[in-house]
Amino acid sequence: MNLLNPKKLVLSLLLFVLLLVATGCSSDNATDVSADTKAEIVLRLSEPQVDEYPDSIAEKAFAEKVEELSDGRIKIEVYTGGQLGDETTTIEQTQVGIIDIGRANAGPLTQFADSLGVFSFPFLFEDREHMRAALDSSLRDTLFADLQESDLVGLAFYDAGARSFYSTDPIEEVADLKGKKIRVMQNDILISAFKKLGTSPTPLAASEVYSALQMGVIEGGENNVSTYVADGHYEVAKNFTLSEHLRIPGVLFMSKSSWDQLTAEDQKLIQQAAIDSETVQLEEYDKFSQKAMDTVKEAGNNVIELSDEERKAFRENVQSLYDEYDSTYGTLFEEIEKAKQ
């Protein structure tokens, strides 16, 4: 009697098992499960500020909203405290898709979108309500379209407060600025504006301002009240004048390469969550700013409020700057003017 070769028996059994597996995998039920399964998307967001900062809080709310709207399919990991780099690094790495989402002040973003330079003009907005109205108008689309030319997709505008003057001697009227050495950001528009206000504008790195004030190298600076306190400048420049001459917003943006990989539906929900986060950020910034102002007053510093007449005089001194840049920013000036309430 001939017996089956053991090697052939093993081979036959293997072929039989493979046939069963192949048949099972081709069942209609298995195909349906595969079709209904969507891959999870994980996006990285870079925030230069610390966890407790209003922007960080808003971005975490944004991430939660995206996860909720996508039924947990899209997750955004928020890296705060500059873990992924400072503002400039964040912009550059988001531009090339290394980082998916970033946040930076409109100031450094100007080198990637010229139109954002409009925020460098003093007294551009009557108040915060005017700025918010302008950013909720066609101006938003204009600025974000310009940003997209540099492979960045604008998602939201965050409030960064109003910048005001602080000094070693009181500034109660325009005449008090005459000849004063005031620290200014390295920005041609601002330097020109401060000259028109009568100051001797002095560009300095932010890290050098404290010692420069202490040693009398400069007699003042300008920033929002939160930074005035956070950087300790309130300790060496005891006068804070509420000129509120500049409002430069923060911008939440996304890498265009990351954006283009999303479906239209996912793009829409991310955009909606980003817009919703603006309200969170605004509320948090109000609390943050008020806490800083309380610190200034508790320190016994002199907080100076300008009269309507003095505020008008400040504006009039820089008005010619708008005429000089009309060919570049004239259309944007008109859009912002229309948004006045």
Side-chain angles (χ1 to χ4, degrees):
M1 182 173 68
N2 294 326
L3 295 174
L4 187 63
N5 188 306
K7 289 183 179 180
K8 288 184 177 179
L9 180 60
V10 171
L11 182 61
S12 298
L13 287 171
L14 283 172
L15 288 171
F16 179 71
V17 170
L18 288 171
L19 181 63
L20 285 176
V21 171
T23 303
C25 287
S26 65
S27 69
D28 290 340
N29 186 52
T31 302
D32 288 342
V33 171
S34 177
D36 290 342
T37 302
K38 292 183 178 180
E40 182 182 277
I41 298 170
V42 179
L43 303 171
R44 295 195 309 161
L45 189 158
S46 174
E47 171 52 58
Q49 292 287 357
V50 296
D51 273 339
E52 300 78 18
Y53 200 74
D55 296 22
S56 301
I57 295 170
E59 286 152 2
K60 288 173 185 175
F62 163 59
E64 288 173 8
K65 188 70 173 179
V66 167
E67 188 167 356
E68 176 192 325
L69 293 174
S70 66
D71 295 322
R73 191 170 44 80
I74 303 176
K75 300 186 187 303
I76 297 176
E77 297 175 346
V78 181
Y79 293 86
T80 60
Q83 294 178 68
L84 302 184
D86 59 15
E87 287 193 347
T88 302
T89 303
T90 292
I91 296 167
E92 292 170 349
Q93 294 200 1
T94 305
Q95 190 181 31
V96 297
I98 295 173
I99 294 171
D100 300 296
I101 304 170
R103 198 281 309 161
N105 186 274
L109 275 168
T110 299
Q111 62 182 306
F112 299 90
D114 292 342
S115 61
L116 290 172
V118 74
F119 295 114
S120 297
F121 287 83
F123 306 105
L124 180 68
F125 302 107
E126 294 271 329
D127 48 32
R128 188 172 74 177
E129 287 67 33
H130 178 202
M131 184 183 77
R132 293 312 309 179
L135 293 178
D136 287 339
S137 71
S138 59
L139 179 69
R140 179 185 294 256
D141 296 332
T142 301
L143 298 176
F144 281 173
D146 193 13
L147 201 57
Q148 198 155 153
E149 292 294 318
S150 291
D151 295 325
L152 296 170
V153 178
L155 298 177
F157 280 109
Y158 285 170
D159 197 283
R163 297 175 77 100
S164 291
F165 289 108
Y166 54 86
S167 53
T168 50
D169 293 319
I171 297 171
E172 298 178 340
E173 55 185 4
V174 177
D176 293 332
L177 283 170
K178 189 172 178 59
K180 272 192 170 56
K181 295 187 289 294
I182 302 291
R183 183 265 174 175
V184 63
M185 293 182 284
Q186 184 60 61
N187 178 306
D188 291 343
I189 295 172
L190 276 181
I191 290 171
S192 181
F194 282 19
K195 284 179 179 177
K196 290 179 184 296
L197 288 169
T199 75
S200 175
T202 309
L204 279 177
S207 59
E208 299 173 5
V209 177
Y210 188 99
S211 60
L213 284 166
Q214 204 171 31
M215 296 167 63
V217 174
I218 58 174
E219 297 158 276
E222 53 87 42
N223 218 316
N224 59 56
V225 67
S226 303
T227 306
Y228 172 56
V229 170
D231 289 351
H233 298 170
Y234 78 109
E235 298 170 351
V236 286
K238 297 285 190 177
N239 299 280
F240 192 78
T241 302
L242 292 167
S243 53
E244 299 186 335
H245 53 272
L246 277 180
R247 293 181 183 274
I248 306 178
V251 183
L252 186 69
F253 50 85
M254 187 168 183
S255 166
K256 191 172 186 302
S257 61
S258 299
W259 177 262
D260 288 343
Q261 291 177 49
L262 300 172
T263 64
E265 180 185 355
D266 287 346
Q267 289 174 352
K268 185 177 179 181
L269 70 86
I270 283 176
Q271 187 67 79
Q272 183 57 57
I275 295 297
D276 289 349
S277 76
E278 290 182 345
T279 302
V280 176
Q281 195 273 342
L282 206 59
E283 291 172 353
E284 291 297 326
Y285 195 86
D286 279 348
K287 291 187 282 187
F288 189 73
S289 185
Q290 186 57 57
K291 186 177 179 181
M293 183 56 78
D294 290 344
T295 299
V296 171
K297 291 179 177 178
E298 286 166 10
N301 286 22
N302 185 22
V303 178
I304 302 163
E305 294 195 34
L306 297 175
S307 66
D308 290 341
E309 276 189 17
E310 282 306 323
R311 193 174 294 278
K312 183 180 177 183
F314 271 78
R315 284 198 185 98
E316 287 175 348
N317 271 261
V318 299
Q319 187 56 50
S320 61
L321 188 67
Y322 286 78
D323 300 331
E324 292 169 21
Y325 283 88
D326 187 67
S327 60
T328 305
Y329 297 104
T331 303
L332 298 177
F333 293 153
E334 289 175 10
E335 288 189 63
I336 290 167
E337 185 65 24
K338 286 177 186 175
K340 280 185 181 177
Q341 295 179 339

